[in-house]
Amino acid sequence: MTDTVRCCVFPVAGLGTRFLPATKAVPKEMLPVVDKPLIQYGVEEAAAAGLTQICFVNGRHKQAIENHFDRNVELEQQIAGSGKELLLEGVNGLMEQCRISSIRQLQAKGLGHAIGCAEPVVGNEPFAVILPDDLCVNPGGDGVLAQMVELYKRYQCSIVAIEEVPMDQVNKYGVIAGTEEAEGIYRIEAMVEKPPVDQAPSNLAIIGRYLLTPDIFELIRQTPPGKGGEIQITDALMKQAEQGRVIGYKFKGLRFDCGSVPGYVKATNYCFENLSRPD
Ligand code: G1P
């Protein structure tokens, strides 16, 4: 097994029902934050971390995601020489830098199942997972995934990004408990998917960034349906955690929950004020 993390998996088959009616015909990952679709922020973060193989685990009716990372020759011809071609430089650069592929998740059986679908692309290598709903920024420093790739070199085990959330919010997340080995770095001893507030082991919530060792695929296969009747990545990871092989990392930066309307609005305001765009 190589040490290099090359592949980033994006589970994007979900229906985005929290954003209806906006997501009736448009995938939620294609909703713009200012002028870029949410998914592009995620792919930019993966590319900036040096990951060159992008794998979308996609569902029916969501081809717009694949189309966004393909050429649009008619459009390019139309805008050639107008100055507007600059607006496509970012996404075109990602298409050159990365090999982008997609796999269909045939049934909505949960996040663990979605990640398991990526095995034929990932193979026997450590890999990353980005949930694009969680938009992460770290102005002036490395992106969250780049921080985790760096940490992997030291720990060589699975890593989940964590954040303290208000106690009354823990039931929306995977929640961990563990021993803080170094500042912001926890050796995970317990993790529970969306626990009731009074049963949560802490207020340290897993956010949508994972770095996983490939034995997770076999563990996913062995994982029975859990919370909500779905195959949960949290449950598969717990089996690695029982062997002391999962780190929780309090990342540097900000996270916006773009799966909720308030988080999406906050992200939009933040990006409009703080991130530059070509005029
Ligand atoms: C998923 C995971 C959960 C994690 C969350 C982060 O839940 O199952 O453990 O805390 O992502 O965004 P979802 O938000 O997809 O329901």
Side-chain angles (χ1 to χ4, degrees):
M1 185 174 87
T2 149
D3 277 0
T4 316
V5 188
R6 290 192 301 187
C7 185
C8 189
V9 174
F10 289 80
V12 291
L15 292 176
T17 48
R18 279 193 288 172
F19 258 94
L20 285 170
T23 49
K24 189 179 169 201
V26 177
K28 64 173 173 170
E29 296 80 6
M30 291 302 295
L31 296 179
V33 172
V34 187
D35 57 352
K36 261 191 305 198
L38 205 40
I39 187 73
Q40 192 176 327
Y41 290 88
V43 176
E44 284 172 355
E45 186 183 327
L51 278 62
T52 52
Q53 172 89 47
I54 303 297
C55 176
F56 298 127
V57 178
N58 212 345
R60 285 175 288 273
H61 313 305
K62 298 191 76 175
Q63 294 90 333
I65 297 172
E66 286 148 38
N67 293 346
H68 185 68
F69 293 94
D70 195 354
R71 301 278 308 275
N72 182 337
V73 178
E74 202 186 328
L75 173 70
E76 285 167 29
Q77 282 170 355
Q78 188 87 205
I79 63 176
S82 72
K84 287 189 179 150
E85 55 275 37
L86 286 178
L87 300 175
L88 290 180
E89 270 184 354
V91 66
N92 286 342
L94 292 172
M95 284 151 52
E96 272 167 35
Q97 211 180 326
C98 303
R99 236 176 65 198
I100 298 176
S101 59
S102 68
I103 279 194
R104 284 287 175 99
Q105 184 184 14
L106 300 181
Q107 290 166 287
K109 294 207 302 194
L111 180 57
H113 177 258
I115 294 172
C117 291
E119 184 175 15
V121 175
V122 173
N124 190 31
E125 293 184 3
F127 65 103
V129 176
I130 287 187
L131 308 185
D133 277 4
D134 279 333
L135 194 159
C136 293
V137 294
N138 184 29
D142 282 346
V144 176
L145 207 56
Q147 296 168 37
M148 292 168 74
V149 167
E150 200 47 43
L151 206 62
Y152 181 78
K153 291 181 191 154
R154 198 167 357 134
Y155 286 94
Q156 305 273 316
C157 68
S158 290
I159 305 172
V160 296
I162 53 172
E163 181 177 79
E164 279 187 47
V165 297
M167 206 60 205
D168 62 356
Q169 303 280 307
V170 288
N171 56 351
K172 296 183 185 158
Y173 298 93
V175 178
I176 69 121
T179 310
E180 192 169 11
E181 286 195 353
E183 205 192 329
I185 296 176
Y186 294 74
R187 183 72 62 176
I188 295 183
E189 284 145 19
M191 52 204 318
V192 196
E193 181 66 12
K194 304 194 176 87
V197 172
D198 57 353
Q199 285 168 35
S202 75
N203 68 337
L204 292 171
I206 301 172
I207 64 111
R209 300 291 181 278
Y210 302 78
L211 212 154
L212 303 173
T213 52
D215 56 305
I216 199 72
F217 291 122
E218 183 52 37
L219 295 172
I220 290 171
R221 270 190 286 280
Q222 294 167 10
T223 300
K227 191 88 187 180
E230 297 188 330
I231 296 172
Q232 300 292 350
I233 191 63
T234 310
D235 296 341
L237 273 166
M238 187 56 216
K239 293 179 195 153
Q240 291 185 339
E242 280 163 8
Q243 299 165 3
R245 295 195 293 119
V246 187
I247 293 290
Y249 170 58
K250 261 191 189 169
F251 62 94
K252 296 185 179 66
L254 297 171
R255 182 211 40 138
F256 299 97
D257 172 16
C258 291
S260 75
V261 173
Y264 177 78
V265 172
K266 275 187 201 143
T268 303
N269 288 330
Y270 178 88
C271 292
F272 181 68
E273 298 293 339
N274 295 283
L275 305 184
S276 62
R277 97 186 268 269
D279 285 321

